[in-house]
Structures are given as structure tokens and as C-alpha cells.
Amino acid sequence: MIEIKDLHVSVEGKKILKGLNLTINAGEVHAIMGPNGAGKSTLSNVIAGRDGYEITGGSITYKGDDLLEMSPEERAWAGVFLAFQYPVEIPGVNNTYLLKAGVNAKRKHQGLEELDAFDFMKTVKEKAALVELDPSFLSRSVNEGFSGGEKKRNEIFQMAVLEPSLALLDETDSGLDIDALRIVAGGVNKLRSPDRAIVMITHYQRLLDYIEPDFVHVLADGVIQKTGDKSLALELEEHGYDWVKENK
Amino acid sequence: MSVLAQTQQDALNLFEKIGLPTQRDEDWKYTDASRLKDLLESKVSGASVDIHNLGITELDAYRMVFINGVFTANESNLPQGISIESLATFETSNDNNEKELAKLFQVSSSDPLMNGFAAYNAATAKDGAAVCLKDNSKLDKPLYILHVSNQSHVIRHGLMLGKHAEAEVIEHFISLGEDKALSNATTAIILKDGARLEHSRIQQEGKSQSHVARVEVKQLANSSYTFHGVELGGILSRTDLVVDLHEQGASCSLNGLFVLGGRQHVDHHTRIDHTAPHCTSREHYRTVLDGRSHGVFNGKVMVHEGAIKTDSNMSNGNILLSKNAEIDTKPELEIYNDDVKCAHGATIGQLDDKQLFYLRSRGISAEAAQELLTFAFADEVLVAMSNQTVRSYVEKAAFAKLPHSDDLEGLLSE
Ligand SMILES: Nc1ncnc2c1ncn2[C@@H]1O[C@H](COP(=O)(O)OP(=O)(O)O)[C@@H](O)[C@H]1O
Ligand SMILES: [Mg+2]
């Protein structure tokens, strides 16, 4: 689905990613772990198309296309979704309107009819139930006044409605208490499917108890240092990131 | 000479003394009033027009219609038992509160922001709404005052809310045709102890029309005043909003929205006097300026010596959609005692990058995302409107003036 080759990225002249390689196939769940400041959010932002990042080398191919040539909205239409580490508040923009506009823009791009308002609301309510998001959040402004945990839940709810092919979850688990974590993880598990890839960025092994990854990668010093299965996360927990660098 | 006639004569004397403002006056440096000199005089002729489909037709309200400043009784619909009349008829009343209304014609050179237009208004106004609510009375429906004009005219409304009285008043200004004309409109308000008024003023006049307004509010103890000033129409529009928090515990909330394009010029000068202790003022103005439009916001809060425990907050946000649009903003705070909580600030900016990216990452095109955020920015001021019919009318009118692509159609049906 996505193939990242020798990716070099700088922010404000500082090299963050230094030749990163990563291939993700449909149906797979990947976890990316790594110390603070390693560049995990940088990687997910670059995939989603945020500007302010200088791509100094390498390539990203998504479903056969050059992803780096696409605008953020084109990426969204093609099925890329980023659940933000810090979802922004947008006063005055209704949560449901945002999703409807997003879904319909994608459909329009695919040459499909706009969704009927009634069907859309039905879907939205079902998906909100999936992450146990109170329906009152639907009519509120995007993330405005939401608690940290509610924002994260709202991100997964949006993912459920937008039905992406490639979902990047940037520290969706941080700021969630154990009950909320269980609910959100349950939602994500229901969204696992053979034609969808999910990438979880996390600090903590505990998320992986709920959503079992096929692969675990350790990102440090701008490259993937080590790849393994979920036992790698346990080893990391035990030995720390320095151990990874020493035992490549 | 009647009290009113004498008051008007005094106003005329004042007008002759001070004349119209010029750009040498600090308060008028951005607004060229000389353009309005030839339009000052009323040209009253009873235009006969079909106004049935004009204004906010879906609003369930009492209605007063003024055509070129003249009360049009057959288009109006007024409540029983509450004194809402044309100013032209109240002068002969014996009622004390109504007598007090006559005082609302008094102008003095020492009034804040006093100027020739306001003096001329007081001197020559022949008609307007005279609303007088008895103590403890509540207007069960909003009063909607529709002004339809195609000629220069002067209009002066007086609102007097007795103790603990409550009302909502919506003033709406629209034009017939595109003639050059000047509306010179004053609304003078007294809120007695515990009275509550929500007052909207929607200026939506024609492309060639100019508008000069003054709203002055005197608030007695624990009264509450909420203002929504919406500027959409006209070529030149100036409003002076003067609020005196005269007695303890009074509070006001002033909201303003300009959505301008072309060569529109809109200037609001607001002045809040914290005269008494324990008063609260909130002020929130936003402008969205496109084309070669020019917005001016000057918000002055004056906290007087005895006004301890004053709580005042003012904010002004502006978005310029075009390189040729211009905003001059000046929040001013003058404080003459230490025991206060005051904050004010103004921003002039483009849209927030993080918000834009968030929307685009959800599949909304760059263009639609900008338009959506612009609309949301403007709409934030309207959140304070409690009347949803009025709010949605204004939202639609504002939306129509903002750039919007097909993708955004449907936004307002949510
Ligand atoms: N917009 C930015 N401006 C300046 N520095 C940035 C910006 N975004 C990220 N960085 C820097 O890039 C590095 C990687 O950040 P980030 O990708 O957020 O790390 P992680 O998500 O792994 O904690 C950090 O040193 C951070 O300070
Ligand atoms: Mg991060």
C-alpha cells in the first residue's frame, strides 16, 4: 500500500528523518515506537501532507502513486487518514458538517453521488457508538472544549466515518485512561480489515495489549533501527531504546 | 414652546455650533464625513412600496415599519397594553415615563462622541419608535423595527425599559433601489434597575447608501444590555455606540460583525463608561474584509475613579481576505482606579494553518477550508445572538457576501 524509501526530512534546517525505509501492506497493523523527538509525528505529518517539512531526499509511493506530489485533500480522497497527536480545536465548524463535507468531497472525487442526509446521519450515529462517543458531540464545534480523551475518541470516530485505506494513529493512546483506552482500542480493532492498513505510533507497550500489531518498528535517530513482532515491544519495555541502538 | 420643541431647538443650536466632523477630528480621522454633507437633509416623501416580502419575514415579532423615516401604520403590528408608538404621537402623553422619553432628545457637546450628525438628528427627527415598558413588564415577542429607504432621512428611536422590564429589539435597515442617500439614525435607551434589553442592529442598505448612527445607552443598577451590530450593506457606515454603566451591577455585552467587500467603509466607535462600581462590560468585534473595503474599530473603555471592581474585557479580531482591504483598530483603556480587572486586545490575521491542515486532511479542499474557516470566524460573534431566526437570517446574508465555492453549499442547512 505504501512504500517509503530512503526518506530524508528536515524541519527548519534540522535533519529529522535520515533515510527512513518502511513498507506497509494492506491488512497489516504496524506499531512505530521511539523516544520523544525521534520524528514519529514528523513521519505521520509528512505522509498526511502537512507543509513546513522539507523533503530533502527519498520517495513515498502510495497505491502506486507519488504521494509527495499530492495535496493533503487528495491524499484524504485516496484514503490516507491521520489521527492527530494534538487535534486542533475549530470553533464554529460543526463536527458533523466537517465529516459530511469530507465524505462528500471524497465521493465527488470518485464520481459518486453525495450521500443522502438521512443515510449519512445513520452512519454517523453508528460510528459514534463504536467509540462510545456521546451523540451530543456530533453537533458541537470540532474538538472545541473537548477533554484530551474526548479529542482522541473523536479522531477515531472520524476515522470510522471516513473509512480510510491507510490510517495513522499518532499517540492516540496518550491521555486516555484505561477504560477509554479499552473503548478506543475496541473501535480500532473493529476497523481492522484486509484492505486497510493501520499504523500506530505509541510510547507505550500497553496499547499493543489491546491492538495486536503484526510488526513493531523502533524509530530513533531518524531511521527505523529495528523491526520485529510484538515481542520487540516487550523487549523495549524492558531494556529501553539504547538497547535497540546497540543491538541492531 | 413644548418641552420637545425646546429640546430640538437646543440641539439645532448645538449643530450650528459644531457643524459636521472633519478628518481633523481624532474620532473621525479614518472616515471622511464631507462625502455626506450634501446628503444630510431629509428628503421625505411617502414612498408607496410593497414591503411584504422585505426584511426578516419569518420572524415572529411585533413590527414597526418606517419608510424613509416615516412610520407606516398599516404595515406595522403592535402589542396591546404596552406603549409602543410612533414618536410623533407620544408627546401629548401624560405618562411620566413617556415624559422622560422626551429627555432622550437632549444632546450636549460634552456627551462622549457627540458630533454634528447626532446633533442634527436630535434637532430634526420627526419620527421614530417610542417604546416604553412599565416596571416588571416583558415584551412577549421581539419588536422588529424595519427601516426601508431610498432617500435621506433622519430617525430617532427612544427605548425606555422600566424596572425589571425585558425586551428584545431588532432594528433592520434596508434600501429600495440604489439611490445615493443618508440614513441618520439614533437610538437612545434608558434601562432602569434590573431591566434587560437585547438589541440588534442589522445594516443592510443598498450599495450607494450611507448610514450614520448613534446608539446611546444609560444603564441603571443591575440592568443588562446586549448589543449585536451587524454591518453588511451600504457604502459608508459609521456607528457611535455609547454606553454608560451608570449604577452598580450594570452589565453590557457589545458584539459587532462587519462583512465587507468592494469599496465599503464601516467605522464603529464604541465608548463604555464604567461610572459605578461592580459593573461588567464585554465587547467582541470581528471583521472580515475583502476587496478594497476599509474597517475601523475604536473601542474605548473608561473606568472612572469610583468604579471599583470593574470587570471589562474587549477583543477585536480581523481577517483581511484581500491585499487591498484595510483595518484600523484601536482598543483603548483608560483606568482611574486600581481595583479593576480589565483586558483588551486586537488581532489582524490570516487563517490558522493548523486548522486549515486539519480540514484538508479530512478531505476538504484548500479553497473550501479557507472559506469555511472564514465563515466560522464571523459566525463566532453571532453565537451570542439568542434569537435563532435573526441569527440564521444574518448568517445567510453574511455567507452570501463571503466567497464560497460549491463545496460549501449546504453549510447553513446543518
Ligand atoms: N514544526 C516544527 N518546528 C520546529 N521543530 C520541529 C517541528 N516539528 C518537529 N520539530 C522537531 O523535530 C523533532 C521531531 O519531532 P516529532 O516528529 O514531533 O517527534 P516525535 O513525534 O517522535 O516525538 C523534534 O526535535 C522537534 O522539536
Ligand atoms: Mg509525536
Side-chain angles (χ1 to χ4, degrees):
Chain A
M1 179 164 305
I2 188 167
E3 199 176 359
I4 302 170
K5 276 192 191 155
D6 194 29
L7 186 66
H8 292 257
V9 176
S10 298
V11 180
E12 291 175 357
K14 184 173 149 200
K15 290 187 174 126
I16 310 291
L17 301 181
K18 307 167 187 165
L20 183 138
N21 293 292
L22 184 63
T23 299
I24 295 165
N25 298 307
E28 294 173 353
V29 174
H30 291 238
I32 298 177
M33 306 184 77
N36 265 329
K40 303 181 297 297
S41 292
T42 301
L43 176 63
S44 53
N45 284 328
V46 165
I47 295 173
R50 180 156 181 184
D51 47 6
Y53 296 93
E54 201 190 339
I55 320 286
T56 54
S59 65
I60 305 181
T61 310
Y62 174 74
K63 293 184 178 171
D65 292 324
D66 181 357
L67 189 74
L68 296 175
E69 285 298 306
M70 295 159 73
S71 68
E73 56 270 32
E74 286 168 333
R75 298 179 199 204
W77 301 336
V80 174
F81 177 88
L82 170 61
F84 287 83
Q85 181 174 6
Y86 303 109
V88 64
E89 300 196 5
I90 315 185
V93 177
N94 176 289
N95 222 2
T96 306
Y97 175 78
L98 163 71
L99 286 170
K100 195 168 166 193
V103 167
N104 282 331
K106 182 174 175 178
R107 291 179 67 89
K108 191 170 153 192
H109 183 73
Q110 293 168 336
L112 299 170
E113 293 255 302
E114 289 201 352
L115 275 184
D116 168 84
F118 182 79
D119 292 342
F120 178 75
M121 277 320 290
K122 202 173 146 231
T123 313
V124 157
K125 287 195 176 125
E126 279 167 22
K127 307 287 168 143
L130 195 71
V131 285
E132 298 180 27
L133 187 74
D134 190 288
S136 68
F137 283 80
L138 300 177
S139 52
R140 286 173 56 178
S141 290
V142 177
N143 294 321
E144 192 188 23
F146 290 21
S147 72
E150 286 159 354
K151 285 180 185 165
K152 299 301 181 75
R153 246 190 245 208
N154 194 38
E155 294 292 287
I156 301 306
F157 158 64
Q158 294 187 7
M159 168 183 165
V161 174
L162 294 168
E163 302 186 321
S165 315
L166 173 65
L168 308 157
L169 314 185
D170 191 356
E171 300 208 18
T172 300
D173 54 336
S174 53
L176 292 182
D177 61 34
I178 198 76
D179 291 329
L181 179 68
R182 199 175 289 132
I183 293 163
V184 167
V188 174
N189 279 327
K190 285 184 202 129
L191 295 170
R192 286 179 87 145
S193 103
D195 36 49
R196 176 171 297 141
I198 297 175
V199 180
M200 296 179 293
I201 292 167
T202 181
H203 272 306
Y204 307 107
Q205 138 73 22
R206 65 170 194 175
L207 176 67
L208 310 183
D209 291 340
Y210 295 98
I211 310 171
E212 211 168 294
D214 302 303
F215 300 95
V216 174
H217 310 277
V218 179
L219 172 55
D221 292 340
V223 294
I224 302 286
Q225 301 279 354
K226 203 173 174 78
T227 294
D229 60 16
K230 73 171 180 126
S231 63
L232 176 58
L234 290 168
E235 285 181 275
L236 260 182
E237 188 103 318
E238 198 169 332
H239 306 295
Y241 292 111
D242 289 336
W243 166 84
V244 176
K245 289 188 212 165
E246 286 152 20
N247 296 276
K248 272 200 225 178
Chain B
M1 203 185 251
S2 73
V3 179
L4 182 60
Q6 183 57 54
T7 310
Q8 291 203 288
Q9 182 58 49
D10 293 344
L12 191 62
N13 293 343
L14 178 64
F15 170 70
E16 279 163 1
K17 194 171 127 212
I18 62 180
L20 292 182
T22 71
Q23 287 183 279
R24 284 190 302 277
D25 296 314
E26 182 61 23
D27 287 327
W28 286 79
K29 71 176 175 187
Y30 296 113
T31 297
D32 180 10
S34 68
R35 290 158 66 184
L36 305 178
K37 201 164 169 235
D38 298 335
L39 298 171
L40 188 65
E41 227 169 282
S42 301
K43 296 202 173 47
V44 178
S45 71
S48 100
V49 284
D50 179 13
I51 62 139
H52 287 283
N53 293 316
L54 298 180
I56 312 176
T57 48
E58 59 279 26
L59 186 67
D60 180 22
Y62 298 116
R63 258 162 91 91
M64 287 185 99
V65 177
F66 291 87
I67 298 176
N68 285 325
V70 180
F71 180 62
T72 310
N74 59 347
E75 300 294 349
S76 302
N77 136 40
L78 293 174
Q80 303 288 314
I82 287 177
S83 159
I84 297 183
E85 287 171 71
S86 152
L87 206 52
T89 62
F90 90 90
E91 204 205 338
T92 51
S93 165
N94 295 319
D95 187 280
N96 272 338
N97 275 346
E98 293 190 356
K99 282 211 183 96
E100 236 177 294
L101 267 172
K103 289 192 196 150
L104 294 175
F105 278 72
Q106 286 171 359
V107 288
S108 145
S109 57
S110 62
D111 292 344
L113 294 167
M114 183 44 62
N115 63 65
F117 291 106
Y120 187 80
N121 180 293
T124 64
K126 293 196 173 54
D127 216 341
V131 178
C132 196
L133 260 66
K134 291 196 174 57
D135 292 352
N136 302 308
S137 66
K138 182 176 174 181
L139 202 54
D140 61 335
K141 282 196 250 184
L143 171 65
Y144 175 58
I145 306 176
L146 178 63
H147 309 77
V148 187
S149 66
N150 61 358
Q151 290 186 324
S152 289
H153 66 277
V154 171
I155 190 154
R156 190 173 185 90
H157 303 305
L159 312 179
M160 151 79 71
L161 270 62
K163 290 182 180 174
H164 303 284
E166 272 181 51
E168 180 187 356
V169 174
I170 299 128
E171 293 189 62
H172 192 187
F173 296 83
I174 59 176
S175 301
L176 294 166
E178 298 297 345
D179 297 312
K180 270 195 177 178
L182 171 66
S183 305
N184 181 339
T186 289
T187 303
I189 299 169
I190 295 182
L191 303 180
K192 298 221 162 157
D193 297 15
R196 304 177 69 84
L197 175 66
E198 182 164 348
H199 178 206
S200 302
R201 248 182 139 268
I202 305 161
Q203 191 278 106
Q204 216 180 359
E205 293 180 339
K207 284 203 274 290
S208 310
Q209 191 124 6
S210 297
H211 188 97
V212 175
R214 179 177 176 89
V215 175
E216 48 183 58
V217 188
K218 182 172 179 181
Q219 294 190 240
L220 303 192
N222 301 314
S223 63
S224 149
Y225 176 68
T226 303
F227 174 80
H228 310 285
V230 179
E231 295 281 354
L232 299 169
I235 182 68
L236 185 159
S237 175
R238 159 76 182 227
T239 294
D240 292 325
L241 176 54
V242 180
V243 178
D244 180 9
L245 297 167
H246 198 72
E247 289 184 358
Q248 189 141 328
S251 64
C252 70
S253 170
L254 314 180
N255 306 291
L257 174 65
F258 307 173
V259 179
L260 308 180
R263 292 184 171 272
Q264 287 184 291
H265 177 103
V266 173
D267 175 350
H268 276 216
H269 271 58
T270 70
R271 161 77 180 248
I272 301 170
D273 279 278
H274 278 266
T275 318
H278 295 279
C279 291
T280 303
S281 61
R282 293 286 176 269
E283 185 161 13
H284 187 196
Y285 263 72
R286 287 194 172 184
T287 75
V288 181
L289 308 177
D290 203 355
R292 300 185 158 273
S293 64
H294 186 185
V296 181
F297 171 71
N298 183 294
K300 185 165 183 172
V301 175
M302 181 82 104
V303 182
H304 295 265
E305 208 176 316
I308 54 158
K309 305 288 179 201
T310 285
D311 178 355
S312 173
N313 188 300
M314 182 195 302
S315 69
N316 166 233
N318 307 281
I319 287 186
L320 305 178
L321 296 176
S322 124
K323 277 198 206 66
N324 297 317
E326 186 183 332
I327 177 76
D328 289 287
T329 170
K330 189 174 178 194
E332 285 183 83
L333 201 49
E334 272 184 46
I335 307 178
Y336 297 98
N337 80 66
D338 299 333
D339 190 6
V340 300
K341 201 170 88 190
C342 293
H344 68 298
T347 59
I348 301 170
Q350 277 72 41
L351 300 167
D352 181 298
D353 279 344
K354 285 199 191 97
Q355 295 180 339
L356 278 171
F357 178 63
Y358 191 95
L359 295 174
R360 294 177 71 188
S361 78
R362 299 304 182 241
I364 295 175
S365 71
E367 194 186 9
Q370 289 189 12
E371 294 164 355
L372 181 55
L373 289 180
T374 304
F375 178 76
F377 172 84
D379 197 36
E380 278 294 285
V381 182
L382 303 178
V383 171
M385 273 188 175
S386 66
N387 189 316
Q388 294 308 310
T389 310
V390 176
R391 177 174 168 191
S392 97
Y393 175 89
V394 172
E395 279 178 332
K396 285 198 181 88
F399 182 76
K401 279 203 79 180
L402 291 168
H404 58 274
S405 42
D406 292 351
D407 288 355
L408 226 59
E409 297 292 348
L411 171 64
L412 293 179
S413 58
E414 294 308 314

